[in-house]
Amino acid sequence: MRLLSIPLLVALIAGCPPGTLEIDDFGPGADDDDATDDDDATDDDDATDDDDAADDDDAADDDDAVQACTGPELQGDFIPSDDFAVAGFCAQGWERVSGSVALTSGAQVTTSAGLECLCAVGGDVRLGEFASSLRDTTGFANLQSIGGSLTVTWSNSLDLGGFTSLETIGGNLTLGSNNAIGDVAGFDALASIGGDVVIEWNNGSGDISGFPVLWTIGGTVRVDSNSGVTGVSGFGGLQSIAGDLSVVWNSTLGRVDGFSALGALGGSLGIHSNSILGGIDGLLAMDTVGGDFGITWNTLLPTADAIAVRDAVGVNDIGGTIEIAANGP
């Protein structure tokens, strides 16, 4: 015969409705199987709320979806000499690197596979340089933060679509002197860049269409001297650039439709000498230019389009000189 607990007997005598209290609702460490509240520390069996730190079994909210990046940290830099060394990173149990990661060792490094456990880099990430055979970034799929800069230079056939979880770059993002990196897409989770964004001297890139949730850039944006960039349609969520915005000497650039949410430009605007540039509608949301305003020598760009951007900002909200000249009719 099962004895009733004193609290339950009191509840029954008081006339509590059936189903309100049960035997296992009393005592320290007890379990709750009601639908409205949880007061245990280890298990949740309701459908509406979670108050534990270890497990989620509700349908409405999941606070375990983003894994904390607190695993073992390699002290110093990780600069592998070949693919075998790259593959050995996760095999040794590392998840973080306190220094920099560099895949820059010529033909001996062809893949980033083996870095899927990497979630944080305290220093820089450098790809390419003289690693002309490096072909993918899929190993960086779980990388969440780079404390320093991300630099991709002198690569021949590198796909940049692997940075799907990257949220912050503390320093600069530089894509320079690459021959065949294709469209600059992806970077779907990247929210902030502390330094500059530099995309220059690239021969094989197409449309710059990525960076959908990037909302702030702490430095300057330069899209300069590219012979393969055909358009800038990305940066759709970008709200502020602390420094300059420069789009200069891009021989294949047809349109700038990106930057559609950009309001505040802290520095100067320079759109110069883009020989086939035909539209800059993406800049019509700007309401402040802290420095100079210049749109010149874009021979196919209608002058009316340049004036429309100036008027959208307002001459009283431009901090420096204004120059619109030598554009198309």
Side-chain angles (χ1 to χ4, degrees):
M1 179 178 178
R2 187 177 182 182
L3 296 177
L4 297 178
S5 66
I6 292 175
L8 182 57
L9 286 172
V10 172
L12 292 174
I13 294 171
C16 290
T20 303
L21 299 172
E22 294 184 25
I23 294 293
D24 58 356
D25 288 332
F26 295 93
D31 179 59
D32 281 327
D33 47 17
D34 60 82
T36 57
D37 185 56
D38 283 316
D39 48 36
D40 60 282
T42 57
D43 183 56
D44 284 320
D45 43 40
D46 66 320
T48 57
D49 184 49
D50 283 318
D51 48 35
D52 66 300
D55 184 55
D56 283 320
D57 46 35
D58 63 289
D61 184 46
D62 188 359
D63 51 339
D64 291 335
V66 178
Q67 298 297 319
C69 185
T70 58
E73 183 176 64
L74 172 67
Q75 296 299 309
D77 300 333
F78 179 66
I79 307 177
S81 59
D82 54 28
D83 289 348
F84 182 78
V86 174
F89 181 83
C90 292
Q92 296 181 65
W94 303 117
E95 294 183 11
R96 298 178 294 150
V97 174
S98 68
S100 296
V101 172
L103 305 187
T104 58
S105 299
Q108 294 176 304
V109 176
T110 65
T111 180
S112 60
L115 297 178
E116 290 80 5
C117 59
L118 180 64
C119 60
V121 175
D124 301 329
V125 173
R126 305 197 319 273
L127 306 179
E129 294 183 8
F130 298 102
S132 58
S133 297
L134 183 65
R135 63 181 182 268
D136 65 65
T137 55
T138 55
F140 295 100
N142 292 308
L143 180 62
Q144 299 172 22
S145 65
I146 299 173
S149 297
L150 172 59
T151 303
V152 181
T153 56
W154 297 101
S155 69
N156 286 327
S157 57
L158 184 60
D159 180 359
L160 296 176
F163 294 97
T164 54
S165 299
L166 184 61
E167 298 176 352
T168 61
I169 297 175
N172 303 326
L173 170 62
T174 300
L175 308 178
S177 301
N178 297 288
N179 288 325
I181 59 174
D183 290 346
V184 182
F187 294 96
D188 291 343
L190 186 60
S192 67
I193 296 175
D196 299 335
V197 173
V198 179
I199 302 174
E200 62 183 7
W201 298 103
N202 296 291
N203 296 322
S205 55
D207 186 30
I208 303 173
S209 60
F211 313 101
V213 301
L214 180 64
W215 65 278
T216 181
I217 294 174
T220 287
V221 175
R222 296 206 318 266
V223 182
D224 293 351
S225 303
N226 297 285
S227 61
V229 174
T230 58
V232 180
S233 62
F235 301 100
L238 186 62
Q239 299 178 28
S240 65
I241 299 173
D244 302 334
L245 174 57
S246 170
V247 182
V248 176
W249 290 105
N250 298 285
S251 61
T252 57
L253 181 64
R255 299 192 63 83
V256 177
D257 295 320
F259 304 105
S260 56
L262 179 61
L265 179 62
S268 297
L269 174 68
I271 313 291
H272 305 298
S273 302
N274 301 285
S275 57
I276 67 167
L277 181 63
I280 52 174
D281 291 350
L283 303 178
L284 290 171
M286 283 195 303
D287 53 27
T288 303
V289 174
D292 298 333
F293 181 103
I295 303 178
T296 67
W297 293 103
N298 306 285
T299 54
L300 294 185
L301 179 68
T303 297
D305 287 9
I307 292 173
V309 173
R310 180 202 64 188
D311 292 346
V313 177
V315 294
N316 293 327
D317 291 310
I318 297 173
T321 61
I322 300 174
E323 183 180 16
I324 298 175
N327 297 297

